[in-house]
Amino acid sequence: MSETFVVVGGGLAGAKTVEALREREFPGRIELICEEEAPPYERPPLSKDYLAGRTEVADFTVHPREWYVRNDVELRLGTRATGLHPGSHEVELADSTRLGYDKLVLATGSRPRRLPLPGADSRGVHCLRRLGDADRLATALRRVGRLVIVGAGWIGLEVAAVARGYGVEVHVVEAARQPLLAALGPRMGEFFADLHREHGVTLHLSSHVSEIMAPSGVTGVRLTDGSELPADAVLLAVGARPELTLAETAGLDIDNGVLVDTGLTTSDPDILAVGDIAEVRHPAFGGLRVEHWANALKQPAVAAATMLGHSASYTELPYFFTDQYDLGMEYHGFVPGDVEERVVVRGSLADRRFVACWLDSAERVLAAMNVNVFGMAESIRELIHSGASVVPERLADTTYPLHDVDALRKRPVGSA
């Protein structure tokens, strides 16, 4: 009897999962449940090129509708899964339909965090997660003169860069003392702060919003110190939360996300999780959940192999990228929150062409960020995977090639 595999989630992770199943010649029935009306697409362009009007939706749609027809994938657009019943192997839809499954993949992604602020639901207040959000924000940026962004994370800063390209006056309000502090630490946070100030963005650091002033549409933002920032539009960019409702109601093991092994199987052997919601038992970092495009791109191949009974493990280093103004950046690795920051820079911060490396107390490279210097990915990954203790002065010296781990390595005392 033919098996049925169901994938819940219409983003990149869901689309790549059904693609990987057909590439591995799974002969059974595949159902892809998508809450949005659009076929699955990649989300990074929403805060970058698409928002700036430089790309079309077709450029970042994972597959056109015809692909799902050709590959015999039942694509259920505009369909929301409301319940998951492991006992009966069924997923329940909003219209009370129940679909049976043999294996199921949760790829439900994340939703924007909301702030319990007066005025947060007013006309002119935006968030950015879906295609429709980007369309509404792009329309606003073409019309407004002043934008306040609440949150100086990746989305907030990318939108700030796009908005400045439209000629919009931009103010960014951030609770931390530097942008991107949790992701990059104070030194690199200051680097990004300087980048945006030089492009005319006003940063309000160590600041909090008390109210969005919107008597009949947004007029400004009031901070907790009583100061007011005039605005024609507001973007709330204070992070995202994993969409765990189905996993919780199904009784799956959850911590910071849905707990999965390296094969991406949850506590139920017939349910897997991929993308933003998956907290993987990573061999190097322990339990690790990151909301990055690379996970949505690469985890599905492992999940498909596991579903088909093959041995597979997801051990990739975390990876993300950003584009802001004329700056392009890639980041590989992971720095635990309890590691005291030590950053070694190769190249020139002033010229914005460098590689920044994060070291632990044993002077091993945990992560590296290349800024406007490309073709470094393989060397960076090799250096991190090596676990070598390096000589910081050599790491900073560009005459020592980054790919030559042996030359960078610290020698034990007494060695030749």
Side-chain angles (χ1 to χ4, degrees):
M1 184 175 176
S2 179
E3 290 184 297
T4 296
F5 288 175
V6 173
V7 179
V8 181
L12 175 62
K16 283 295 185 180
T17 299
V18 301
E19 176 188 305
L21 286 169
R22 286 301 189 223
E23 285 182 345
R24 288 180 172 269
E25 300 183 346
F26 170 62
R29 181 181 178 187
I30 299 178
E31 302 251 8
L32 178 57
I33 300 171
C34 307
E35 189 171 330
E36 294 186 61
E37 295 289 348
Y41 55 87
E42 300 189 41
R43 298 191 190 276
L46 298 186
S47 58
K48 304 180 182 72
D49 285 348
Y50 182 69
L51 188 64
R54 294 190 290 266
T55 57
E56 302 292 334
V57 176
D59 297 329
F60 54 93
T61 297
V62 184
H63 297 297
R65 293 176 191 242
E66 300 76 41
W67 182 92
Y68 299 95
V69 175
R70 289 198 311 271
N71 288 275
D72 195 22
V73 174
E74 185 164 349
L75 179 63
R76 292 176 176 260
L77 299 177
T79 302
R80 185 166 60 91
T82 57
L84 180 54
H85 308 281
S88 60
H89 276 61
E90 292 177 312
V91 59
E92 185 173 351
L93 307 182
D95 64 1
S96 298
T97 299
R98 289 197 176 202
L99 300 176
Y101 67 84
D102 293 286
K103 299 280 187 181
L104 180 138
V105 177
L106 290 172
T108 47
S110 299
R111 296 187 184 274
R113 294 187 185 276
R114 305 294 294 185
L115 291 175
L117 291 172
D121 295 324
S122 301
R123 178 170 53 86
V125 178
H126 299 262
C127 62
L128 184 55
R129 179 65 186 176
R130 296 185 172 187
L131 186 59
D133 299 330
D135 287 336
R136 286 185 288 274
L137 183 57
T139 298
L141 292 179
R142 294 184 181 99
R143 295 176 178 173
V144 305
R146 301 166 300 183
L147 172 70
V148 171
I149 299 173
V150 183
W154 298 113
I155 296 295
L157 295 186
E158 287 169 358
V159 172
V162 172
R164 291 299 296 139
Y166 281 110
V168 176
E169 177 185 323
V170 178
H171 290 252
V172 177
V173 181
E174 169 57 45
R177 68 185 188 275
Q178 291 290 359
L180 304 169
L181 188 65
L184 301 181
R187 187 178 180 189
M188 290 299 114
E190 183 179 9
F191 169 81
F192 277 94
D194 290 342
L195 171 70
H196 281 270
R197 288 188 181 110
E198 288 181 20
H199 283 85
V201 174
T202 302
L203 299 176
H204 304 264
L205 304 176
S206 301
S207 298
H208 300 265
V209 175
S210 63
E211 178 186 2
I212 297 173
M213 300 179 292
S216 59
V218 168
T219 61
V221 167
R222 181 175 289 118
L223 305 185
T224 53
D225 64 5
S227 60
E228 297 181 359
L229 306 176
D232 306 303
V234 172
L235 172 67
L236 300 179
V238 290
R241 59 175 179 82
E243 182 47 76
L244 302 176
T245 304
L246 289 178
E248 290 170 343
T249 58
L252 302 179
D253 290 348
I254 291 172
D255 185 21
N256 184 37
V258 181
L259 294 173
V260 295
D261 60 21
T262 55
L264 303 175
T265 303
T266 71
S267 54
D268 183 307
D270 292 329
I271 300 176
L272 295 85
V274 295
D276 289 359
I277 66 169
E279 183 176 348
V280 185
R281 296 186 182 93
H282 195 282
F285 305 115
L288 182 63
R289 185 186 73 82
V290 289
E291 296 165 358
H292 298 329
W293 165 86
N295 280 355
L297 181 69
K298 295 184 177 182
Q299 286 181 350
V302 173
T306 299
M307 295 168 79
L308 297 173
H310 305 301
S311 178
S313 295
Y314 188 74
T315 58
E316 294 278 340
L317 289 173
Y319 166 86
F320 60 88
F321 68 96
T322 191
D323 297 301
Q324 299 172 34
Y325 310 109
D326 57 353
L327 180 145
M329 179 275 273
E330 297 176 300
Y331 181 103
H332 297 264
F334 177 73
V335 181
D338 58 354
V339 172
E340 185 176 350
E341 182 187 68
R342 181 178 183 185
V343 182
V344 173
V345 174
R346 295 170 55 91
S348 171
L349 287 174
D351 294 339
R352 298 196 176 117
R353 289 181 57 83
F354 64 90
V355 178
C357 300
W358 280 260
L359 277 58
D360 66 8
S361 59
E363 296 179 332
R364 295 171 296 201
V365 178
L366 301 177
M369 176 178 79
N370 50 297
V371 173
N372 289 338
V373 180
F374 299 102
M376 310 294 295
E378 185 176 347
S379 297
I380 287 172
R381 288 195 296 264
E382 181 181 350
L383 182 58
I384 295 171
H385 280 306
S386 75
S389 294
V390 301
V391 179
E393 293 77 14
R394 293 180 183 173
L395 187 62
D397 187 344
T398 56
T399 63
Y400 287 87
L402 198 61
H403 66 264
D404 193 345
V405 178
D406 196 53
L408 298 171
R409 188 188 304 268
K410 182 183 295 184
R411 303 297 179 191
V413 175
S415 64

